[in-house]
Amino acid sequence: MNTGAVRPKGQTENSDMNTSRSLAWLRERYDISGLELFFKKKEVPIHSHSLWYYFGGITLFFFVVQVITGIMLLLYYRPTAEAAFESVQFIMTEVRFGWLIRSIHSWSANLMVLAAFIHLFSVFFMRSYRRPRELTWISGVFLLLLSLGFGFSGYLLPWNELAFFATKVGTEIVAVVPFVGEFLLKFLRGGEEVTGATLTRFFGFHVAVLPMICTFLLAFHLLAVQKQGMSVPIAMENKPMRVMPFFPNFLMRDFLGWILALGVLVAIAALFPWELGVKADPFAPAPAGITPEWYFVFMFQTLKFIPAKIWFMEGEVLGVLAFAIAGVLLILVPFLDKKSNAGQPGKALSVIGVLVLVYIIVMTIISYVMPQTF
Amino acid sequence: MRFPEQKLIVSLVFLATATVAFCQEQGPASQVNSCISCHLEIGDELAVPIEGMKGDVHATKGLSCADCHGGDPTAGLDGDSDAAMDPAKGYVGIPDRMKIPEFCGRCHSDPVYMRGFNPRAATDQLDRYKTSRHGQLLRKGDRKVATCTDCHGVHGIQNARDSRSSVYPLNIPETCGRCHADSEYMQPYDVATDQLDDYRKSVHGMALLERGDQAAPACNDCHGNHGASPPGAPSVAFICGQCHLNNSEMFLSSPHKTAFDELELPECEACHGNHAIEHPTDEMIGVGESSICLDCHEEGSKAYDTAALIHDQISGLKERMFYADSLVSQAERAGMEVSEALFQLKDADDALIKARTMVHSLSGDETSIITEEGLGLVEQAVLAGKSALEEIQFRRKGLAVSLLFILILALGVYLKIKELDQKHPIREVK
């Protein structure tokens, strides 16, 4: 069926005429021929793995949701140990639709991290990081780390019991970093202990420092993607392939993905409102069931499994160092993977990727199946 | 034979080692203590005090045998025990049972001496003991009644705050029960011996002995310790009022006070019992089957109506609280923020506790002030619970409408994509 018949012909013509008038208005004032040419020429490859292209856009959508809902929460949130919990309580009970905004903000943060992880692994397995997209990959890995930073700093802001103790445990881990651990601990906490100073500090990171860095990195990441176009899996390179125009065909598909993501987000946020818990009491004993955010759980679980002493090193120090090295290796993947740069998809790297993915999933499941305190 | 010789040598080495070890624990002054060396040498029951004194509170404060028993511990090391146990040097030996209170009181009634060990130490134990039932009977020549050592022990006395002490709060019921639960021992006194069993089953006994709650009273908290005596009928409310202050004050200003005095009823005990006190229930008041009011008041009397009224007020508050709690809990389980309502219910619960206390005033008007206050809070919680449950429904409907709009939008975009795919078709590149 011709879908063009759904709408009366006159309406389509009116719409096209309005678009042309707007473009003409812009052309009179600015030279947008380069931009127009870019949109006209840019094409997106279509193949059996095209679905994974959308996860970058979905991550970006959740980020935009975070920015909008975050600004709305800022209107009422007060970043002090005395008022933080009460202000979030006020948002959830007194502010019209405040419960929904806060719930969307919390759920969207988690979905954003999930989408970012899927995006990272899909890019990894498709070797999309290979030359000339090395910097796109590196900026992407840093953006994922920033997302984790957003999650860690935002978790404390409601100043509830679970967040307080999870932050206490989480920040304690940096203390084991050789030479600078103690300094990092004090820098993060704003003192020896997790106090109101930590909350104010985390608030600063969450709403100023991290967004500023994120804006620059994101701008670069998006610009690089637009400039270099979508990567094609190695196996399909230099072969006949179907393509679609980026504008408007692919962008509309992206838009459809965002709408569906919005539907999922709203449904989860409304059906499972994010809990507030009880106000943090620094003098109370740590309650049972303290868990970090799910995306940190595999690391915490690993640290728990590592023996207290391995050779001459503390087990925890070794674990933290191992994760740090893994992070560096992740960043350097485009330079380490010589084969894909030579146009050969190496199987070894795929096996490593699968093992890492399985490891993360298994460790996370173990942590939730075996209830424990951290 | 070699064997007995070996045994003797081993025994002597052990004795010498034990003596040196004990002397070292006692410090340099007691290194020449003939009491210890002789008692250990003789052994058997004479060595028991030496062993017991190792953990004794007196020994830990630096006191030795002679500080209580007199004599000269520096003499007698040459085997002349008479020199060490010379009455001219204040030797007392084993004090006569009738004289034990005075024996201990020589130090414990001396504020100046006791201040050297503990500036806050009480020194009135002997005076109080003399006023106690135990002390009075002892003065009359009864050698069976408890003296200091029966409760505190002899050698091996621990501080009362030490959990090993026989007078540590958790151990007091057993300590008193050693005599008071022994029907044969108590037979001459015509006193019941089921107090310990009753106490163990009581609300106080379970709190102290099972939960280790030291706020719960042991025998001495009601009867006194050194001045122990059974509380008389007019003083029961004061005894219970040590902890249950409000209940006691309300009782004392209630019509029950005069009536109980006239009938010589033992105040609180008349309704609640004594050693076997159970957890009070709301059914104790009113005109139901479990009501204790009906033990004295008949139907048609003013007191009967008051009992029914107070019971209705408390039951009414409780039922409404139960309803509000179910609403608020349901909303909370559904993820709604109802902390304000939970606070209101907590305050209402406090009002219920106050109302239960107010029962002792026997005034329906006064109880109703509290229950009405509680009901006001409960109604606010009911409203909050209902409004939260309505909000859940509103959210669900809102979600359904939102999802419908999102689906329509998605469908529109999907159709647009189809249209665009025809307008700007997918092409093949080589």
Side-chain angles (χ1 to χ4, degrees):
Chain A
M1 191 180 143
N2 187 341
T3 50
V6 173
R7 252 186 333 182
K9 200 180 172 189
Q11 200 177 327
T12 314
E13 282 170 0
N14 280 344
S15 168
D16 290 346
M17 207 178 287
N18 286 338
T19 312
S20 302
R21 274 186 197 163
S22 304
L23 279 173
W25 190 87
L26 275 173
R27 281 186 201 117
E28 269 180 33
R29 285 154 182 84
Y30 306 101
D31 178 14
I32 56 168
S33 55
L35 204 61
E36 282 182 275
L37 191 67
F38 171 75
F39 277 118
K40 215 172 265 181
K41 290 273 180 196
K42 186 174 164 63
E43 288 176 323
V44 177
I46 304 171
H47 49 78
S48 54
H49 300 300
S50 292
L51 176 73
W52 302 110
Y53 287 151
Y54 295 100
F55 278 91
I58 288 174
T59 311
L60 177 65
F61 168 74
F62 285 127
F63 178 74
V64 172
V65 171
Q66 286 304 96
V67 173
I68 295 169
T69 52
I71 290 170
M72 290 164 96
L73 291 173
L74 261 180
L75 300 178
Y76 294 95
Y77 179 74
R78 281 172 288 162
T80 64
E82 294 73 30
F85 182 85
E86 284 76 8
S87 66
V88 178
Q89 201 171 38
F90 181 80
I91 289 168
M92 291 179 71
T93 53
E94 305 295 328
V95 178
R96 193 173 284 267
F97 290 108
W99 63 273
L100 185 61
I101 300 300
R102 196 232 161 188
S103 195
I104 285 179
H105 191 74
S106 303
W107 275 111
S108 172
N110 284 278
L111 292 175
M112 181 178 82
V113 174
L114 180 67
F117 267 112
I118 294 172
H119 184 45
L120 175 117
F121 275 103
S122 63
V123 169
F124 178 84
F125 286 119
M126 290 199 290
R127 310 286 194 276
S128 305
Y129 50 74
R130 67 187 187 279
R131 196 171 54 214
R133 296 182 177 80
E134 296 94 331
L135 290 178
T136 317
W137 166 267
I138 292 171
S139 61
V141 173
F142 276 111
L143 280 169
L144 176 68
L145 294 177
L146 277 177
S147 305
L148 301 183
F150 270 117
F152 188 64
S153 56
Y155 194 47
L156 180 69
L157 299 189
W159 199 245
N160 60 29
E161 201 175 45
L162 282 181
F164 176 83
F165 286 103
T167 305
K168 204 170 175 179
V169 177
T171 47
E172 262 164 21
I173 288 172
V174 300
V176 304
V177 177
F179 309 116
V180 291
E182 279 301 313
F183 167 77
L184 282 177
L185 178 80
K186 283 185 188 169
F187 174 73
L188 277 177
R189 289 183 172 178
E192 298 283 350
E193 294 293 332
V194 175
T195 60
T198 320
L199 176 69
T200 314
R201 195 161 282 226
F202 272 38
F203 176 72
F205 293 145
H206 194 75
V207 304
V209 181
L210 296 178
M212 184 184 69
I213 303 169
C214 194
T215 305
F216 286 115
L217 268 177
L218 191 60
F220 171 78
H221 192 75
L222 293 176
L223 204 67
V225 171
Q226 294 305 322
K227 193 76 186 159
Q228 296 174 323
M230 303 293 198
S231 163
V232 178
I234 294 173
M236 293 169 191
E237 250 180 348
N238 304 321
K239 284 183 184 170
M241 185 186 300
R242 294 190 309 148
V243 292
M244 74 166 86
F246 172 78
F247 184 84
N249 298 43
F250 185 80
L251 204 58
M252 281 307 271
R253 281 173 166 79
D254 242 353
F255 185 50
L256 181 62
W258 297 351
I259 293 169
L260 294 176
L262 178 69
V264 171
L265 177 61
V266 169
I268 296 175
L271 291 175
F272 308 103
W274 203 265
E275 282 184 17
L276 178 57
V278 294
K279 188 176 178 176
D281 178 3
F283 301 107
I290 300 170
T291 47
E293 291 279 60
W294 60 269
Y295 37 84
F296 291 121
V297 159
F298 76 94
M299 289 189 269
F300 278 83
Q301 191 60 43
T302 306
L303 293 179
K304 280 191 82 68
F305 279 155
I306 294 178
K309 203 95 180 171
I310 300 174
W311 297 311
F312 60 94
M313 282 187 83
E314 297 278 335
E316 205 173 27
V317 176
L318 203 68
V320 171
L321 279 178
F323 279 118
I325 292 167
V328 173
L329 290 177
L330 185 70
I331 291 167
L332 296 177
V333 158
F335 306 104
L336 299 173
D337 183 11
K338 308 275 186 204
K339 272 193 170 180
S340 65
N341 282 332
Q344 300 165 340
K347 273 190 179 172
L349 211 60
S350 295
V351 171
I352 292 172
V354 170
L355 287 177
V356 169
L357 191 58
V358 168
Y359 178 81
I360 292 174
I361 293 170
V362 168
M363 279 296 176
T364 308
I365 291 172
I366 287 175
S367 171
Y368 285 105
V369 171
M370 294 167 41
Q372 56 203 295
T373 52
F374 287 93
Chain B
M1 282 173 73
R2 284 179 62 82
F3 184 68
E5 285 169 15
Q6 280 178 341
K7 204 172 171 185
L8 182 68
I9 292 167
V10 169
S11 302
L12 284 172
V13 168
F14 173 75
L15 211 62
T17 312
T19 309
V20 169
F22 182 65
C23 289
Q24 279 173 340
E25 282 174 24
Q26 303 307 307
S30 56
Q31 281 176 4
V32 286
N33 193 323
S34 62
C35 313
I36 296 168
S37 55
C38 287
H39 275 256
L40 281 174
E41 193 178 331
I42 298 165
D44 294 333
E45 63 180 23
L46 284 178
V48 171
I50 310 297
E51 287 301 318
M53 281 304 285
K54 281 182 181 172
D56 189 284
V57 66
H58 299 96
T60 59
K61 299 280 181 190
L63 299 177
S64 73
C65 319
D67 289 303
C68 293
H69 295 282
D72 183 2
T74 59
L77 289 167
D78 55 357
D80 182 7
S81 57
D82 289 340
M85 298 190 290
D86 185 356
K89 290 178 180 171
Y91 178 71
V92 182
I94 300 172
D96 183 69
R97 181 169 178 77
M98 304 296 283
K99 291 179 181 169
I100 286 176
E102 273 76 18
F103 183 81
C104 299
R106 286 178 307 169
C107 296
H108 283 276
S109 297
D110 183 345
V112 177
Y113 181 74
M114 290 304 291
R115 208 179 294 145
F117 301 100
N118 177 5
R120 295 175 66 186
T123 50
D124 59 351
Q125 297 96 328
L126 181 59
D127 290 340
R128 283 175 177 268
Y129 178 77
K130 285 175 181 169
T131 67
S132 73
R133 189 80 182 129
H134 296 140
Q136 286 169 357
L137 287 174
L138 185 77
R139 199 165 55 194
K140 286 178 185 168
D142 186 344
R143 300 179 67 85
K144 286 182 72 176
V145 292
T147 66
C148 317
T149 52
D150 294 300
C151 299
H152 292 276
V154 191
H155 302 102
I157 294 172
Q158 307 289 341
N159 189 301
R161 287 189 294 274
D162 188 320
S163 61
R164 294 170 297 174
S165 167
S166 53
V167 291
Y168 182 69
L170 265 69
N171 302 330
I172 282 178
E174 286 300 327
T175 300
C176 299
R178 284 207 299 259
C179 298
H180 283 274
D182 185 339
S183 52
E184 199 179 316
Y185 193 82
M186 295 302 290
Q187 198 266 331
Y189 301 103
D190 194 23
V191 174
T193 51
D194 55 0
Q195 300 98 325
L196 182 59
D197 283 340
D198 281 351
Y199 175 79
R200 283 193 187 120
K201 288 179 280 185
S202 75
V203 63
H204 294 144
M206 286 200 283
L208 182 73
L209 302 175
E210 289 181 17
R211 298 204 304 274
D213 180 357
Q214 294 194 29
C219 317
N220 62 318
D221 290 298
C222 298
H223 295 281
N225 35 33
H226 302 103
S229 62
S235 70
V236 173
F238 293 114
I239 300 286
C240 302
Q242 292 178 107
C243 300
H244 304 281
L245 184 64
N246 291 329
N247 309 43
S248 163
E249 282 182 357
M250 281 170 199
F251 168 81
L252 292 172
S253 56
S254 77
H256 269 169
K257 171 65 181 162
T258 323
F260 281 25
D261 284 351
E262 283 170 9
L263 294 166
E264 294 187 358
L265 288 172
E267 303 195 326
C268 315
E269 190 188 327
C271 299
H272 293 282
N274 46 27
H275 301 104
I277 291 174
E278 287 180 5
H279 200 285
T281 64
D282 293 328
E283 279 60 48
M284 284 171 71
I285 191 159
V287 291
E289 279 182 10
S290 311
S291 163
I292 49 168
C293 308
L294 300 186
D295 292 353
C296 301
H297 301 290
E298 289 177 352
E299 192 172 356
S301 67
K302 194 185 166 197
Y304 183 94
D305 294 340
T306 304
L309 175 67
I310 293 175
H311 180 264
D312 289 348
Q313 287 166 344
I314 289 178
S315 302
L317 175 58
K318 251 172 48 178
E319 280 167 21
R320 203 65 187 151
M321 273 176 70
F322 182 76
Y323 173 62
D325 188 55
S326 66
L327 284 177
V328 173
S329 301
Q330 195 185 339
E332 194 184 23
R333 280 196 300 275
M336 299 299 290
E337 169 56 45
V338 284
S339 54
E340 186 63 32
L342 288 171
F343 279 126
Q344 283 159 346
L345 281 176
K346 178 81 184 63
D347 289 345
D349 195 45
D350 288 346
L352 180 65
I353 293 167
K354 270 192 210 169
R356 283 170 175 154
T357 305
M358 194 57 81
V359 165
H360 298 90
S361 71
L362 306 174
S363 163
D365 291 342
E366 287 188 38
T367 316
S368 79
I369 293 171
I370 308 294
T371 51
E372 286 302 319
E373 189 186 306
L375 277 171
L377 291 161
V378 171
E379 289 313 321
Q380 287 179 42
V382 167
L383 271 179
K386 280 183 177 172
S387 135
L389 291 175
E390 282 167 12
E391 174 73 13
I392 291 170
Q393 293 307 318
F394 171 74
R395 287 181 186 184
R396 284 183 182 158
K397 285 174 192 161
L399 172 65
V401 173
S402 307
L403 286 180
L404 187 67
F405 273 112
I406 288 170
L407 276 176
I408 291 169
L409 183 62
L411 188 67
V413 172
Y414 175 74
L415 294 174
K416 182 71 183 171
I417 290 168
K418 288 282 173 195
E419 183 191 321
L420 288 170
D421 284 350
Q422 285 192 345
K423 210 167 165 186
H424 309 277
I426 292 169
R427 66 188 184 91
E428 194 140 320
V429 290
K430 290 182 181 175

